[in-house]
């Protein structure tokens, strides 16, 4: 499987990606996680990304393209990968196509997770994330057993700095302005699978399994 998860902030891309990669045995490539790791380790790239992310805007294409290209050079991606949060602009999609064309490994699926806008705001403002392992919780839908402590690794569970309501609205605006065009872009290539993301986490996971079934090649059932 060589897949992309597309969808607005809070659609459930990260939550579903963590599940799907376990089933399919491919690495989870999240540009949001890569950028947060760069910030946490204080690299020049992380410092460059900090202000942009805290404003809810997009990090420049060239920066993110280079991160992803480098990651795709690593051998664990040879048998497949799941990209989450990338591409986010048409230029990023074109950059990804060029990298994959060189490897002769085109995408096998682009999954669009669709969720009603007000539900997105409630999901993101209620999200809590583990600062150590990245596990994702929600104060109502899926809280950790002990408040503030990760069930999986015992790390601190906190709210992401960009998860307040004002920034969520800005991130949604940026999604509509820059990322939504990818729906038509991948639709025209026959790669797009639409999944209703309004159901429970289990229901959405089931729909995504179906949408990324191995026999799906080039947008057609083989
Ligand atoms: P990134 O980390 O990618 O954030 P995002 O795309 O805004 O997506 P989110 O992580 O907010 O949401 P999600 O869809 O993963 O939802 P989740 O599963 O957590 O990017 C952050 C920033 O980095 C960007 O703003 C930008 O600055 C920069 N960046 C990243 N990639 C970039 C790129 N390619 N180019 C340029 N800049 C880039 O779920 C949300 C909550 O809902 C959780 O609490 C979860 O428990 C809950 N939930 C999930 N599913 C359900 C369900 N079915 N029912 C009820 N609750 C649910």
């Amino acid at each position: 499987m060589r897949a992309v998860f597309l969808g607005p902030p809070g659609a459930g891309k990260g939550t579903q990606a963590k599940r799907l990669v376990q089933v399919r045995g491919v690495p989870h490539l999240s540009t949001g996680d890569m950028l947060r790791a760069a910030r946490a380790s204080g690299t020049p790239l992380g410092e460059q990304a900090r202000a942009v992310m805290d404003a809810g805007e997009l990090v420049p294409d060239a920066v993110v393209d280079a991160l992803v290209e480098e990651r795709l050079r690593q051998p664990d991606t040879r048998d497949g990968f799941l990209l989450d949060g990338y591409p986010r602009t048409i230029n990023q999609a074109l950059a990804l196509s060029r990298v994959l064309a060189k490897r002769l490994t085109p995408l096998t699926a682009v999954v669009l997770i669709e969720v009603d806008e007000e539900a997105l705001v409630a999901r993101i403002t209620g999200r809590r994330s583990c600062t150590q392992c990245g596990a994702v919780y929600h104060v109502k839908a899926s809280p950790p057993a002990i408040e503030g402590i990760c069930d999986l690794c015992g790390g601190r569970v906190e709210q992401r700095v960009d998860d307040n309501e004002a920034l969520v609205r800005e991130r949604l605006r940026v999604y509509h302005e820059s990322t939504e065009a990818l729906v038509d872009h991948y639709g025209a290539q026959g790669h797009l699978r639409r999944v209703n993301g309004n159901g429970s986490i289990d229901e959405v996971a089931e729909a995504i399994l179906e949408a990324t079934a191995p026999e799906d090649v080039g947008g057609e059932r083989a």
Side-chain angles (χ1 to χ4, degrees), residues 7-16 31-33 35-36 52-53 56-59 64 84-88 92 123-124 126-128 136-138 141-142 160 162-163 171 197 199-201 204:
K13 302 181 297 294
T15 301
Q16 296 297 340
T31 44
D33 287 349
L35 291 167
R36 279 184 288 278
V52 180
M53 293 172 81
E57 307 299 325
L58 294 182
V59 174
V64 191
D84 158 14
Y86 180 93
R88 247 175 160 98
Q92 289 180 16
R123 283 188 188 182
I124 293 201
R127 172 169 53 193
R128 301 292 181 270
V136 174
Y137 299 93
H138 188 276
S142 52
R160 254 168 59 177
D162 57 344
D163 275 355
R171 284 158 59 199
S200 70
I201 292 174
V204 179

Side-chain angles (χ1 to χ4, degrees), residues 20 26 46 58 65 86 91 98 108 160 167 197 201-203:
L20 186 63
V26 297
L58 294 182
D65 290 343
Y86 180 93
N91 281 334
R98 286 192 293 272
T108 55
R160 254 168 59 177
L167 268 188
I201 292 174
D202 285 345
E203 286 166 347

Side-chain angles (χ1 to χ4, degrees), residues 175-191:
Y175 174 80
H176 293 308
E177 184 180 83
S178 303
T179 307
E180 216 163 38
L182 293 176
V183 174
D184 286 344
H185 175 80
Y186 285 120
Q189 296 181 5
H191 280 136

Side-chain angles (χ1 to χ4, degrees), residues 64-81:
V64 191
D65 290 343
L67 263 183
V68 172
E69 184 167 7
E70 172 61 27
R71 182 67 184 85
L72 285 172
R73 275 201 209 105
Q74 294 174 24
D76 65 331
T77 66
R78 245 180 242 141
D79 294 332
F81 54 81

